[in-house]
Amino acid sequence: MDTLVQLENVTKRYDGAAAAAVDDVSMRIDAGEAVAIMGPSGSGKSTLLNVIAGLDRPTSGAVRVGDERVDMLSEAGAARFRRKQVGMIFQFFNLLDDMTVSDNVLLPAQLAGVKAREARLRADQLLGTLKIGHRRDAYPARLSGGERQRVAIARALINRPSLLLADEPTGAVDSATGDEIGALLLELNAAGQTLVVVTHSPELARRYARRVIHIADGRVASDTAVAAS
Ligand SMILES: Nc1ncnc2c1ncn2[C@@H]1O[C@H](COP(=O)(O)OP(=O)(O)O)[C@@H](O)[C@H]1O
Ligand SMILES: [Mg+2]
């Protein structure tokens, strides 16, 4: 398999912090993998995702995603990289409450300059696949947590990113809904989507990832393959 993400000796130290949030991490993720990142609160999981996404610049080390040296990009370059290559979903969905479901999903396509008609087709198709098409004209406040996360997944996928990053995507929903979201992510991965999911749930990691990386104090504590269940 082709390497999609490569970190080499990546350290991220926030200004004034005693310890590095990410401490000399090296790893490779192949295209097509489904990876779960686990670890205690404050161990550096979100920082690691943000460094891969180009949201945070590492203090040292190299971050590659595809052909891109993410750590070397300008702010504008990083924004462009994120729009094209990375989809992100979050615990609290981060949808825009004054825009409809459909407009939330369309926004990244508009920012990327995709033609309106093409974007609308893709959005409708995604909303259909995610079984939320009937809610396209609703506002996020009217939706359940599980529905909101489906919308957020559609938004993350609109620009066909090579990499989908999820930071505790089931942290704010009940366990049955969490299971549905996990199954959905696994389906996306089965269709070829490379996936990195931060989760507190060993169950989710075991069932919906094929590789689990444990982080402790900003370092990789273990990195193991999981058998399909
Ligand atoms: N923007 C920030 N500024 C300063 N310190 C931060 C910032 N974000 C995270 N940290 C610190 O970095 C460490 C790792 O945080 P984080 O990556 O959020 O961990 P996790 O996602 O595993 O809970 C923690 O000590 C946290 O307090
Ligand atoms: Mg976090």
Side-chain angles (χ1 to χ4, degrees):
M1 267 294 194
D2 292 340
T3 301
L4 179 61
V5 179
Q6 184 175 11
L7 307 189
E8 274 179 88
N9 305 104
V10 169
T11 293
K12 171 67 185 181
R13 186 184 294 275
Y14 289 106
D15 288 342
V22 171
D23 190 3
D24 196 30
V25 167
S26 298
M27 67 170 70
R28 278 164 188 268
I29 296 170
D30 284 344
E33 278 198 278
V35 180
I37 310 269
M38 301 195 69
S41 198
S43 57
K45 305 180 299 296
S46 293
T47 303
L48 186 66
L49 281 200
N50 291 345
V51 161
I52 294 171
L55 281 166
D56 264 334
R57 194 188 282 269
T59 312
S60 58
V63 180
R64 288 188 185 79
V65 176
D67 300 331
E68 208 75 76
R69 257 304 281 274
V70 178
D71 57 293
M72 306 275 271
L73 294 170
S74 65
E75 227 166 276
R80 203 173 318 118
F81 160 73
R82 275 197 302 281
R83 276 202 297 273
K84 298 245 152 100
Q85 302 288 330
V86 183
M88 281 191 96
I89 60 176
F90 303 92
Q91 181 172 10
F92 296 110
F93 325 119
N94 296 12
L95 298 171
L96 297 173
D97 281 332
D98 57 353
M99 290 173 74
T100 63
V101 160
S102 180
D103 287 342
N104 265 280
V105 174
L106 283 167
L107 188 60
Q110 284 162 348
L111 292 172
V114 178
K115 288 199 190 80
R117 215 165 64 95
E118 188 185 324
R120 223 169 292 125
L121 271 174
R122 167 88 177 144
D124 284 345
Q125 179 194 38
L126 276 169
L127 288 168
T129 306
L130 293 165
K131 301 189 175 63
I132 192 106
H134 60 295
R135 301 295 248 158
R136 62 194 304 285
D137 296 321
Y139 287 85
R142 292 295 179 95
L143 305 183
S144 70
E147 288 175 328
R148 286 184 217 195
Q149 198 59 292
R150 286 165 188 270
V151 176
I153 294 170
R155 180 184 56 181
L157 295 176
I158 185 92
N159 290 334
R160 305 177 196 276
S162 54
L163 183 61
L164 180 60
L165 302 175
D167 196 349
E168 301 191 30
T170 65
V173 298
D174 62 70
S175 66
T177 305
D179 249 20
E180 280 171 30
I181 291 168
L184 204 55
L185 293 175
L186 188 60
E187 269 174 44
L188 293 169
N189 175 252
Q193 180 69 56
T194 310
L195 181 63
V196 181
V197 187
V198 169
T199 179
H200 274 298
S201 162
E203 171 77 3
L204 201 77
R206 188 158 10 89
R207 287 177 62 184
Y208 302 117
R210 294 291 169 261
R211 175 179 170 193
V212 180
I213 298 175
H214 280 269
I215 305 285
D217 298 327
R219 290 173 162 267
V220 174
S222 67
D223 185 342
T224 48
V226 187
S229 59

